[in-house]
Amino acid sequence: MDKMNLTMLTDFYELTMANGYLQNGLKDKIAYFDMFFRKVPDNGGFAIMAGVEQLIQYLKNLSFDDEDIEYLQSKKLFSEEFLLYLKDFKFSCDVWAVPEGTPIFPNEPVITVSGPVIEAQFIETMVLLTINHQSLIATKSNRIVRAAQGRDVMEFGSRRAQGYDGAIYGARAAYIGGCVGTACTIAERDFDIPVIGTMAHSWIQMFSTELEAFRAYAMVYPENCTFLVDTYNVLKSGIPNAIKVFNEEIVPRGFRPKGIRIDSGDITYLSKEARRMLDEAGFQDCRIVASNSLDEFIIRDILMQGAQVDLFGVGERLITSKSEPVFGGVYKLVAVEKNGEIVPKIKLSENVGKITNPGFKNTWRLFDKETGKAIADVLTTNEETIDENKPYELFDPEYTWKRKTVTNFYAKRLLTKIFDKGTCVYESPKLKVIKSYCKEQIDTLWDEVKRFENPHKYYVDLSKPLWEMKERLLQEYSVK
Amino acid sequence: MDKMNLTMLTDFYELTMANGYLQNGLKDKIAYFDMFFRKVPDNGGFAIMAGVEQLIQYLKNLSFDDEDIEYLQSKKLFSEEFLLYLKDFKFSCDVWAVPEGTPIFPNEPVITVSGPVIEAQFIETMVLLTINHQSLIATKSNRIVRAAQGRDVMEFGSRRAQGYDGAIYGARAAYIGGCVGTACTIAERDFDIPVIGTMAHSWIQMFSTELEAFRAYAMVYPENCTFLVDTYNVLKSGIPNAIKVFNEEIVPRGFRPKGIRIDSGDITYLSKEARRMLDEAGFQDCRIVASNSLDEFIIRDILMQGAQVDLFGVGERLITSKSEPVFGGVYKLVAVEKNGEIVPKIKLSENVGKITNPGFKNTWRLFDKETGKAIADVLTTNEETIDENKPYELFDPEYTWKRKTVTNFYAKRLLTKIFDKGTCVYESPKLKVIKSYCKEQIDTLWDEVKRFENPHKYYVDLSKPLWEMKERLLQEYSVK
């Protein structure tokens, strides 16, 4: 998985445009692109950045091999000059990214790319595909993990993922978002994400009786006994048989963890009854695992009803972000260089929400020095800095009379340089580090922003110079 | 992409069970598993089988390499004997599959596997992942294509796919379902799916004016002119500029196709106006392409309103099957061999709909000889055949008094053998052939089954012997 040449996983128009730029003498024209998104999935208050490590791998391996060139040649659409250019292609852009695990908000750049327009344009499809997918799953995972209120959540969705990478990188993103592990074996081998798994219904069915099946499992894994108890009847058969085997000599007395898993029926009722039966039998610390079509809403509801679940196994609704399976990141031209000067560009739209923030920018997050909480994000032009020693006036870019002056804050730049003229200058942290950074950063958000429904809208404001630049361009480009 | 060793892309419990079976002396026990699904996505009347070719590739390459074994050894959970077994692992099962492109219905086996239980169980995750993903997208693609009523539909979703394979195999499945092509370049290189693409908004923005941008494009691709007309204003700027350039010497007079693409705003209104303007300018055959958050419902509605669109580019709502992004196929043990005899197995559930159809089975599709239309599917035990020369009595497995006798029919077995004792005995047809087979087979369904909402429920019945076997097992296994 180290080497990943997905160069031809690109929308065809990236190639027609590339050849077009070359033919129009724009090969060395420097362009600036931003990736940003417009709406948090599930109407949540924030999303979580993920996928930067895979984006880096892609950019490091970006090259056109003979097979690619031959294929393109066969299209009889591209100039000989262009095919030669691709043969010697070397990525030379600057790239900035918001680090993985960072909470991110609509309309702020999460990736910025600058460099020769052919290159900066060409990578669009893979930038979006990579960041959209993993950010989607990390964001959903975090919702589910927060619903579980400190109980463990495992990712169980490989069989329902949208393709192989959907399962593998989905498990990675779910771990960043807060899952404690996965059922996807390859994700432990390659990313060191803790993996668990014990038995399916078929294991039970392979033996003459459920009791015999549990016993056979306990013989092989005396220290890894989580029995699936719903093949025949949870309360009349599964739990009594599990207790019987827990009481036999096979399972070392006092050994932890022991567990049972319920995969169907009413989890609230069954888990309460199961808890009572296990407690009465002296297995107060036998963990109850539940795993049937769960998501953040069902988990929240059954916990409110007193469900006795210690670990949630979440499958299809996590690995596909079922309730909203698209992270709508876009990649837009924001500036070009002309005679060494950076000229901002804007894209208009009849839909006001689709108008872009122009220019080469920085994103800053302001934190309250006293509480440590995030106050707002501010987009500025690239030349600006925010002076922490002076009061800073925020204003709403739409309702400009809404103003707020912040003091006693510190400001953090969100975008980190990951490529400098095509050379990678950033080392991805270990996944565990990303995961705890994510938790830490989410702790800087107010609870109001974390509500599942109708969360408080976190401020993403424009600096005065950026706002003025945007207004000027709107005047200039709008068709009368 | 020929070699695909995704052996460790498996739920971890497949491995714990495998080692458990070995330790319990069940290594050579022959088991039978069915993959089937319970509900058509989007409440549709049928789904489309897809992914068999990739499943074959996976099974052909199934082996545990040193890295896999080392990793498993490091878990300190598996016996030495098991690790040695994996080192010499050779897939030896029989596998049957419903051919790609076939309409499929709930509760009928679409894959059947028989062989040593360790092997037949182990492949569960990849069987489901592969078939679930591609069947999901093929099914959605077909809905969208049917909504377009003969107009072309292209798959444009790579950037919003759930991972790289989601984009690549999604493009493949979308093509099977009826899309005429894709924007995903690698899908043409590797699967020969027609690819198209011209320009993004950034192309327009790279030039001083829209007119200049169109002209620059036409200079390079005089015979591939589809202009994106909504960067500034479709009717006041985009269309007039497109017409201007179409009228210039650059674009060969009379050359087809020419086109314009609208990617925002109200497609119905804009496309009608665009059509009028293009017609008046003498470009009656300039194609109008639309591509903004489309799906089967929006396409149906805007066509009802008279939208003048010739080609639909469909992105995120197709490539993720956004309205229902999960194809819920499951893989269940249905029989084991005991002293050379096939003993059927059943899985009970408090949820009646989750009870499995037991035994080693066949699926038959009965067609009316006169109309060529599909009448019903019938599951039988493997020993049965359906005699086309005699009247055949169908009955509802739930409401057994509902009966219907069919005559003048022919019966087709749906499951085809693809592996015989581990050797592949099936050659996947070319993708184009699968695509036209799919169209042909869908034509055998009554229109009532094809409704988007509340379709007629196609019959999937059990033969009398199979129904009696199931009743017997229900009696035997239900916990009193």
Side-chain angles (χ1 to χ4, degrees):
Chain A
M1 304 242 282
D2 261 350
K3 190 151 172 58
M4 183 165 59
N5 186 349
L6 291 172
T7 305
M8 297 306 280
L9 178 40
T10 183
D11 284 326
F12 194 68
Y13 75 8
E14 319 286 12
L15 287 157
T16 48
M17 285 192 283
N19 178 50
Y21 289 136
L22 192 77
Q23 298 300 300
N24 277 281
L26 296 173
K27 183 168 85 72
D28 298 317
K29 186 92 174 170
I30 302 296
Y32 293 74
F33 287 86
D34 280 349
M35 173 184 176
F36 62 93
F37 67 103
R38 297 187 182 114
K39 182 188 162 293
V40 179
D42 289 315
N43 297 313
F46 65 98
I48 292 170
M49 182 73 175
V52 176
E53 187 175 342
Q54 281 63 48
L55 178 61
I56 290 172
Q57 278 180 286
Y58 161 73
L59 293 174
K60 279 184 177 174
N61 288 299
L62 190 52
S63 66
F64 295 80
D65 64 22
D66 292 346
E67 194 194 356
D68 300 336
I69 308 262
E70 252 167 63
Y71 155 71
L72 291 174
Q73 197 155 24
S74 75
K75 299 285 294 175
K76 300 190 193 312
L77 198 60
F78 303 109
S79 64
E80 212 38 56
E81 189 192 355
F82 180 62
L83 297 174
L84 282 172
Y85 163 84
L86 293 184
K87 232 185 161 83
D88 296 329
F89 184 92
K90 224 197 129 316
F91 184 64
S92 69
C93 292
D94 291 336
V95 183
W96 294 261
V98 172
E100 293 192 88
T102 308
I104 50 176
F105 299 92
N107 301 316
E108 61 191 20
V110 296
I111 301 276
T112 292
V113 178
S114 88
V117 63
I118 295 186
E119 302 173 29
Q121 173 75 63
F122 180 80
I123 64 175
E124 175 184 32
T125 308
M126 278 293 279
V127 168
L128 292 176
L129 174 45
T130 303
I131 304 297
N132 276 337
H133 171 230
Q134 289 200 45
S135 298
L136 176 74
I137 305 303
T139 303
K140 185 66 169 181
S141 161
N142 188 257
R143 287 173 68 88
I144 295 171
V145 165
R146 283 184 288 127
Q149 299 176 47
R151 292 164 191 83
D152 288 346
V153 177
M154 300 281 297
E155 184 279 304
F156 273 12
S158 293
R159 62 188 58 193
R160 303 280 166 82
Q162 295 193 356
Y164 313 123
D165 294 319
I168 299 170
Y169 297 117
R172 179 182 186 275
Y175 186 65
I176 291 175
C179 282
V180 297
T182 180
C184 181
T185 309
I186 204 168
E188 180 170 74
R189 193 196 66 184
D190 295 345
F191 298 122
D192 211 19
I193 302 172
V195 78
I196 60 163
T198 52
M199 64 180 68
H201 295 112
S202 51
W203 173 272
I204 313 294
Q205 292 175 283
M206 281 298 290
F207 296 83
S208 308
T209 65
E210 189 180 53
L211 183 63
E212 199 186 304
F214 287 173
R215 202 173 272 148
Y217 195 87
M219 296 286 282
V220 182
Y221 304 106
E223 305 189 349
N224 183 30
C225 274
T226 295
F227 297 136
L228 181 59
V229 293
D230 69 340
T231 307
Y232 302 113
N233 186 304
V234 174
L235 302 177
K236 290 185 191 161
S237 169
I239 303 282
N241 283 329
I243 289 173
K244 212 169 281 175
V245 178
F246 288 157
N247 273 322
E248 288 172 1
E249 294 286 295
I250 319 161
V251 186
R253 196 72 206 176
F255 182 80
R256 310 296 173 232
K258 280 186 196 68
I260 58 111
R261 178 160 74 96
I262 304 172
D263 189 41
S264 60
D266 193 281
I267 302 290
T268 303
Y269 170 70
L270 293 173
S271 70
K272 283 191 209 175
E273 287 300 303
R275 183 74 276 155
R276 193 183 51 73
M277 291 164 78
L278 290 163
D279 287 356
E280 280 173 12
F283 296 101
Q284 288 84 355
D285 57 354
C286 172
R287 300 181 87 195
I288 297 178
V289 184
S291 58
N292 183 28
S293 296
L294 300 170
D295 63 14
E296 67 270 40
F297 298 107
I298 295 176
I299 290 176
R300 180 184 63 182
D301 285 359
I302 66 175
L303 287 179
M304 269 175 55
Q305 296 182 317
Q308 297 293 310
V309 176
D310 303 291
L311 188 155
F312 294 98
V314 184
E316 61 190 45
R317 295 187 187 198
L318 166 52
I319 204 67
T320 67
S321 187
K322 187 165 185 259
S323 52
E324 185 151 359
V326 171
F327 194 89
V330 295
Y331 187 80
K332 297 289 175 190
L333 182 78
V334 291
V336 292
E337 283 186 13
K338 204 172 174 179
N339 310 325
E341 203 196 325
I342 301 176
V343 183
K345 291 277 179 175
I346 199 165
K347 188 203 160 288
L348 301 183
S349 176
E350 312 226 343
N351 183 334
V352 178
K354 282 193 164 185
I355 294 170
T356 55
N357 286 317
F360 179 33
K361 298 179 290 294
N362 255 313
T363 312
W364 305 76
R365 182 158 297 167
L366 310 190
F367 295 90
D368 187 302
K369 264 191 187 161
E370 205 163 310
T371 61
K373 294 292 184 189
I375 302 165
D377 288 3
V378 181
L379 311 191
T380 66
T381 63
N382 188 54
E383 302 88 56
E384 289 175 79
T385 47
I386 291 184
D387 185 347
E388 302 176 348
N389 300 312
K390 287 187 193 156
Y392 190 84
E393 188 181 53
L394 300 169
F395 67 98
D396 188 299
E398 219 174 322
Y399 309 107
T400 53
W401 45 268
K402 282 191 179 179
R403 286 168 190 252
K404 182 183 178 178
T405 301
V406 292
T407 53
N408 196 31
F409 68 95
Y410 63 95
K412 209 172 114 180
R413 277 172 203 253
L414 291 190
L415 288 164
T416 300
K417 198 163 199 178
I418 61 172
F419 279 82
D420 184 78
K421 301 204 185 327
T423 303
C424 181
V425 292
Y426 178 77
E427 202 185 331
S428 274
K430 288 224 177 294
L431 205 58
K432 279 191 179 62
V433 176
I434 295 175
K435 182 188 170 71
S436 50
Y437 171 77
C438 179
K439 194 173 178 323
E440 206 179 283
Q441 291 304 304
I442 290 171
D443 284 345
T444 70
L445 302 179
W446 291 103
D447 280 349
E448 288 77 355
V449 175
K450 298 184 207 167
R451 265 199 307 271
F452 291 150
E453 281 128 352
N454 203 16
H456 175 74
K457 199 178 161 222
Y458 181 85
Y459 298 116
V460 177
D461 294 336
L462 307 188
S463 71
K464 196 154 182 290
L466 184 60
W467 186 87
E468 285 168 350
M469 177 211 285
K470 186 173 179 176
E471 286 297 307
R472 179 172 57 77
L473 287 168
L474 282 172
Q475 296 291 338
E476 197 173 308
Y477 280 93
S478 76
V479 178
K480 303 300 181 294
Chain B
M1 305 241 283
D2 262 348
K3 191 153 171 54
M4 182 163 62
N5 186 350
L6 291 172
T7 305
M8 297 306 280
L9 177 41
T10 183
D11 285 325
F12 194 67
Y13 75 7
E14 318 286 12
L15 287 157
T16 49
M17 285 192 282
N19 178 49
Y21 288 135
L22 192 78
Q23 298 300 299
N24 277 280
L26 296 173
K27 181 168 86 72
D28 298 318
K29 185 90 174 173
I30 302 297
Y32 293 74
F33 287 85
D34 280 348
M35 172 181 177
F36 61 94
F37 67 103
R38 296 191 181 110
K39 184 189 162 291
V40 178
D42 288 315
N43 296 314
F46 65 97
I48 292 170
M49 182 72 175
V52 176
E53 186 175 344
Q54 281 62 47
L55 178 61
I56 290 172
Q57 277 181 288
Y58 162 72
L59 292 174
K60 279 184 177 173
N61 288 300
L62 189 54
S63 66
F64 296 81
D65 64 21
D66 291 348
E67 194 194 357
D68 300 335
I69 307 263
E70 252 167 63
Y71 155 71
L72 292 173
Q73 196 155 27
S74 76
K75 299 286 294 174
K76 299 191 196 311
L77 196 61
F78 302 109
S79 63
E80 213 36 58
E81 190 193 355
F82 179 63
L83 298 173
L84 283 171
Y85 163 84
L86 293 183
K87 234 185 160 80
D88 296 329
F89 182 94
K90 222 195 133 312
F91 183 63
S92 70
C93 292
D94 291 337
V95 183
W96 294 261
V98 172
E100 294 192 89
T102 309
I104 50 176
F105 299 92
N107 301 313
E108 61 191 21
V110 296
I111 301 275
T112 293
V113 178
S114 89
V117 63
I118 296 187
E119 301 173 30
Q121 173 74 64
F122 180 80
I123 64 175
E124 175 184 29
T125 308
M126 279 293 280
V127 168
L128 292 177
L129 173 44
T130 303
I131 305 297
N132 276 337
H133 171 231
Q134 290 199 44
S135 298
L136 176 75
I137 305 305
T139 304
K140 186 65 168 181
S141 160
N142 187 257
R143 287 173 68 87
I144 295 170
V145 166
R146 282 184 289 129
Q149 299 176 49
R151 291 162 190 83
D152 288 345
V153 177
M154 299 283 296
E155 185 281 302
F156 272 12
S158 292
R159 62 188 57 193
R160 303 281 165 83
Q162 296 195 355
Y164 313 122
D165 294 320
I168 299 169
Y169 297 117
R172 179 182 186 275
Y175 186 64
I176 291 176
C179 282
V180 297
T182 179
C184 180
T185 310
I186 204 169
E188 179 170 76
R189 193 197 65 184
D190 296 344
F191 299 122
D192 210 18
I193 303 172
V195 78
I196 61 165
T198 51
M199 64 179 67
H201 295 113
S202 50
W203 174 273
I204 312 294
Q205 291 174 284
M206 282 296 292
F207 295 84
S208 309
T209 65
E210 191 179 50
L211 183 63
E212 198 185 307
F214 288 171
R215 201 173 274 148
Y217 195 87
M219 298 285 282
V220 182
Y221 305 106
E223 306 191 348
N224 183 31
C225 274
T226 296
F227 297 136
L228 181 60
V229 294
D230 68 340
T231 306
Y232 303 112
N233 186 304
V234 174
L235 302 177
K236 291 186 191 161
S237 170
I239 302 280
N241 282 330
I243 290 172
K244 210 169 282 173
V245 178
F246 289 155
N247 273 323
E248 289 173 359
E249 293 287 296
I250 319 161
V251 185
R253 196 72 204 177
F255 182 80
R256 309 296 174 234
K258 280 188 196 67
I260 59 111
R261 178 159 74 94
I262 306 171
D263 189 41
S264 61
D266 192 282
I267 302 290
T268 304
Y269 171 70
L270 293 174
S271 69
K272 283 191 208 174
E273 287 299 303
R275 182 75 277 156
R276 193 184 50 75
M277 292 164 77
L278 289 163
D279 287 356
E280 281 174 11
F283 297 100
Q284 287 84 352
D285 57 354
C286 172
R287 299 181 87 194
I288 298 180
V289 183
S291 58
N292 183 28
S293 297
L294 300 171
D295 62 15
E296 67 270 41
F297 299 107
I298 296 175
I299 291 176
R300 181 185 60 183
D301 285 0
I302 65 175
L303 287 180
M304 270 174 54
Q305 295 183 319
Q308 297 293 311
V309 176
D310 303 291
L311 188 156
F312 295 98
V314 183
E316 60 189 45
R317 297 187 185 197
L318 166 53
I319 204 68
T320 67
S321 186
K322 187 164 186 258
S323 52
E324 185 152 359
V326 171
F327 194 88
V330 296
Y331 187 80
K332 296 291 175 188
L333 182 76
V334 291
V336 293
E337 283 187 14
K338 205 173 175 179
N339 309 324
E341 204 196 326
I342 301 175
V343 182
K345 292 276 180 176
I346 198 164
K347 190 202 159 288
L348 301 182
S349 175
E350 312 225 344
N351 183 334
V352 178
K354 282 194 166 186
I355 294 170
T356 55
N357 287 318
F360 179 33
K361 298 179 291 294
N362 254 313
T363 311
W364 305 76
R365 182 156 296 166
L366 310 190
F367 295 90
D368 188 303
K369 266 191 185 163
E370 205 163 309
T371 61
K373 293 291 184 189
I375 303 164
D377 287 3
V378 182
L379 312 191
T380 66
T381 63
N382 189 53
E383 301 90 53
E384 290 174 78
T385 48
I386 291 183
D387 185 348
E388 302 176 347
N389 300 313
K390 287 185 193 157
Y392 191 83
E393 187 181 55
L394 299 169
F395 67 98
D396 189 299
E398 220 174 320
Y399 309 108
T400 54
W401 45 268
K402 283 192 178 178
R403 287 168 190 251
K404 182 183 179 178
T405 300
V406 292
T407 53
N408 195 30
F409 68 95
Y410 62 96
K412 206 171 116 181
R413 278 172 203 253
L414 291 191
L415 289 163
T416 301
K417 199 163 200 179
I418 60 171
F419 279 82
D420 183 78
K421 299 203 185 330
T423 304
C424 182
V425 293
Y426 177 79
E427 202 185 331
S428 275
K430 288 224 177 296
L431 204 58
K432 279 192 179 62
V433 176
I434 295 175
K435 182 189 172 70
S436 48
Y437 172 77
C438 180
K439 193 170 178 323
E440 204 181 283
Q441 291 302 305
I442 290 170
D443 284 344
T444 70
L445 302 179
W446 291 104
D447 280 349
E448 288 78 355
V449 174
K450 299 185 207 166
R451 265 199 306 270
F452 291 150
E453 281 128 353
N454 201 18
H456 176 74
K457 200 180 160 222
Y458 180 84
Y459 297 116
V460 177
D461 294 334
L462 308 187
S463 70
K464 198 152 181 287
L466 183 60
W467 186 86
E468 284 168 350
M469 178 211 283
K470 185 172 180 177
E471 285 297 305
R472 181 172 58 74
L473 288 168
L474 282 172
Q475 294 292 338
E476 199 175 306
Y477 280 93
S478 76
V479 177
K480 304 301 184 297

